Amino acid sequence: MGSRFPSHQLSNGLYVSGRPEQPKEKPPTMSSVAMPYTGGDIKKSGELGKMFDIPMDGSKSRKSGPINNAPSRTGSFAGASHSGPIMQNAAARSVYITSGNVSAGGMSASASMKKTNSGPLNKHGEPVKKSSGPQSGGVTRQNSGPIPPVLPTTGLITSGPLNSSGAPRKVSGPLDSTGSMKSHTSFAAHNPAVTTLSLDDEFSFRRNFPKPILWSVILIFVMGFIAGGFILGAVRNAILLIVVVVLFAAVAALFTWNSCFGRKAIVGFISRYPDAELRTAKNGQFVKVSGVVTCGNVPLESSFQKVPRCVYTSTSLYEYRGWDSKAANPKHRRFTWGLRSAERHVVDFYISDFQSGLRALVKTGYGARVTPYVDDSIVIDVNPANKDMSPEFLRWLGERKLSSDDRIMQLKEGYIKEGSTVSVMGVVQRNDNVLMIVPPPEPLTTGCQWAKCIFPASLEGIVLRCEDTSKIDVIPV
């Protein structure tokens, strides 16, 4: 059958015109293998175990199915997971895309193949290695997982640190390695938001009185006694000596008066100081504000009575020293009460002004300078006869590794809890319509109170004044 048109015969014997069709290459087919029943064991769940870096049963990872007609490659991959379809033309078959980084020790590819890693490049043009979990073996794998949302910046004031997402970190007390709650003392000592106050922060006439003036007075009286004694021995005249003795007695009585009633005079000065209105207070103005307390981000708990949601706590243990009893501290004299242990802490808090109703943040935490005048109340009196009557007190002593032998002890505790009424003295600071009370740069001087024979005293930092809260009903907030 001669013709100038090409023709060919079909399989059924029929002749048709045209050239025969070339056989087409079949596309790769994917088949899935049914996963076995895991029984709740994540190690048998295949790819799910890879996401959590959990070793799976068996020496090789389970694949989701074979790929037919796949191009042959030299080398082997250990646990590498490829994503993306494989192109059918020859040019595309020489390029493969991986979603992770494969180490050089895990493969030996031919020079004709190109590898493209998905992801951003660094400043040297190299792909940035990312990993969301610890790596295992010689293969680097990128684990998928949810990305925490970035919260928008708000105007809320928090007195504690922020977490990685920008939200306030909730602190209810640190946990140790076993998951149990640590003691209040350890929490307050290791938390930077808590200011630990020392004994130097309380009033002491000897520390407030200028040392040069004190030594000058002592030197004058020593010289007066020497001169009076010399005149008495030489001329038999005791007038100068009598005058010196009278002046010395008057000065000694004045010093004793200030030592005993100096703190009471300062409390009276704070009470008489006029309250300011926060609405009209200027930036940098020294003010006194009285109002109701609200806890900040890190509330405290009293040490012995476990009073929750406090902004200031103070627990002091005193001992009475007799003639043959032990001293509570190196400076403890006989027949007096001496301080054996003291714990005082304060944190940032809010105060609602009685005058204007505005709410201000009082910055007393994070190591700020604070001078507290908070009344303490006697919680328990202990003597050798009733020392075993209070198991809570013995537990409190044991937690602080204090001995409970035959001693006369007295435990005092004071606190400012949420809802209490306090007076705060400090400097107003406004920052982007945020009202705060911060410590003043210079100490506040009370001045001489001549009517009460009280010497001037200096108050450093923020001054806190609160009466005994155990006898006053608090305002619920």
Side-chain angles (χ1 to χ4, degrees):
M1 182 175 179
S3 175
R4 55 196 181 100
F5 297 98
S7 62
H8 64 281
Q9 187 179 10
L10 300 178
S11 59
N12 57 2
L14 180 65
Y15 285 90
V16 297
S17 61
R19 297 183 180 278
E21 295 181 357
Q22 298 294 331
K24 296 182 179 180
E25 184 177 1
K26 295 182 180 180
T29 59
M30 304 290 293
S31 62
S32 60
V33 180
M35 293 297 295
Y37 176 69
T38 61
D41 189 0
I42 196 172
K43 296 182 179 181
K44 301 179 181 179
S45 59
E47 297 295 331
L48 182 60
K50 295 180 181 179
M51 297 173 60
F52 298 93
D53 293 329
I54 297 177
M56 295 165 291
D57 296 338
S59 60
K60 296 182 180 180
S61 61
R62 185 181 301 275
K63 299 181 180 179
S64 59
I67 300 178
N68 298 332
N69 299 329
S72 60
R73 303 189 185 107
T74 61
S76 61
F77 295 81
S81 176
H82 301 286
S83 65
I86 300 178
M87 308 300 294
Q88 301 303 320
N89 50 45
R93 276 197 295 265
S94 63
V95 179
Y96 62 96
I97 300 174
T98 66
S99 62
N101 300 321
V102 182
S103 62
M107 72 169 194
S108 59
S110 62
S112 61
M113 292 186 180
K114 297 180 180 180
K115 183 177 73 173
T116 303
N117 293 326
S118 63
L121 302 178
N122 57 15
K123 62 181 180 178
H124 301 292
E126 299 176 354
V128 178
K129 296 181 178 181
K130 296 182 179 180
S131 176
S132 60
Q135 310 300 327
S136 60
V139 179
T140 304
R141 182 171 64 250
Q142 182 178 0
N143 296 329
S144 61
I147 301 176
V150 179
L151 299 179
T153 304
T154 64
L156 180 62
I157 303 174
T158 60
S159 59
L162 302 178
N163 57 19
S164 59
S165 61
R169 184 184 305 168
K170 296 182 179 179
V171 181
S172 60
L175 299 176
D176 56 12
S177 58
T178 59
S180 60
M181 187 68 67
K182 289 185 178 180
S183 64
H184 167 75
T185 305
S186 178
F187 162 70
H190 295 87
N191 195 333
V194 181
T195 300
T196 301
L197 303 177
S198 62
L199 297 178
D200 297 335
D201 297 311
E202 64 182 5
F203 173 79
S204 175
F205 172 74
R206 287 177 292 180
R207 284 195 297 266
N208 274 273
F209 197 82
K211 294 298 187 295
I213 298 178
L214 178 62
W215 288 109
S216 299
V217 171
I218 293 175
L219 181 60
I220 291 174
F221 278 108
V222 169
M223 295 175 61
F225 279 115
I226 294 175
F230 179 77
I231 294 175
L232 178 62
V235 194
R236 301 296 178 180
N237 190 347
I239 296 179
L240 180 60
L241 184 61
I242 293 174
V243 171
V244 172
V245 170
V246 171
L247 291 178
F248 177 79
V251 172
L254 190 61
F255 275 58
T256 304
W257 176 267
N258 279 265
S259 299
C260 296
F261 299 97
R263 186 182 187 277
K264 184 178 180 180
I266 294 178
V267 171
F269 170 81
I270 297 174
S271 301
R272 293 189 304 270
Y273 199 91
D275 291 340
E277 188 175 349
L278 287 178
R279 191 183 305 277
T280 58
K282 298 179 180 179
N283 191 22
Q285 178 182 350
F286 186 87
V287 296
K288 173 194 170 185
V289 179
S290 299
V292 180
V293 167
T294 306
C295 288
N297 198 34
V298 184
L300 296 176
E301 183 184 64
S302 62
S303 177
F304 181 76
Q305 301 180 76
K306 303 299 182 182
V307 178
R309 299 196 63 79
C310 298
V311 299
Y312 168 86
T313 59
S314 173
T315 306
S316 303
L317 178 64
Y318 294 89
E319 290 185 2
Y320 183 81
R321 184 183 184 187
W323 178 256
D324 56 349
S325 57
K326 299 179 181 179
N329 55 69
K331 298 181 180 180
H332 190 192
R333 298 185 299 271
R334 285 183 172 86
F335 307 109
T336 58
W337 287 92
L339 181 63
R340 185 181 182 186
S341 175
E343 300 173 4
R344 293 198 298 175
H345 309 287
V346 63
V347 292
D348 292 351
F349 62 93
Y350 293 93
I351 183 171
S352 298
D353 181 23
F354 283 150
Q355 301 288 334
S356 60
L358 294 180
R359 191 180 186 217
L361 175 65
V362 184
K363 298 294 294 181
T364 52
Y366 294 93
R369 184 68 175 174
V370 181
T371 302
Y373 287 94
V374 181
D375 296 337
D376 296 343
S377 60
I378 300 177
V379 178
I380 186 173
D381 281 314
V382 179
N383 53 53
N386 65 349
K387 69 175 184 177
D388 297 331
M389 298 297 292
S390 177
E392 293 81 6
F393 180 70
L394 296 178
R395 174 191 55 81
W396 187 87
L397 291 176
E399 290 176 353
R400 285 147 187 83
K401 299 180 179 180
L402 300 176
S403 60
S404 58
D405 48 3
D406 296 339
R407 300 189 184 191
I408 301 176
M409 294 178 287
Q410 191 176 81
L411 185 67
K412 294 184 178 181
E413 191 167 61
Y415 49 83
I416 300 176
K417 59 182 176 181
E418 193 173 51
S420 303
T421 301
V422 301
S423 296
V424 178
M425 302 178 71
V427 174
V428 175
Q429 181 176 335
R430 298 179 183 271
N431 186 11
D432 296 335
N433 296 327
V434 176
L435 188 59
M436 294 185 293
I437 299 178
V438 299
E442 298 293 336
L444 174 65
T445 303
T446 60
C448 291
Q449 303 181 36
W450 299 109
K452 298 181 179 180
C453 300
I454 298 296
F455 291 143
S458 60
L459 306 177
E460 297 183 359
I462 293 181
V463 180
L464 290 180
R465 170 58 187 153
C466 182
E467 298 180 1
D468 187 2
T469 55
S470 63
K471 303 176 183 178
I472 302 176
D473 294 334
V474 299
I475 301 175
V477 294

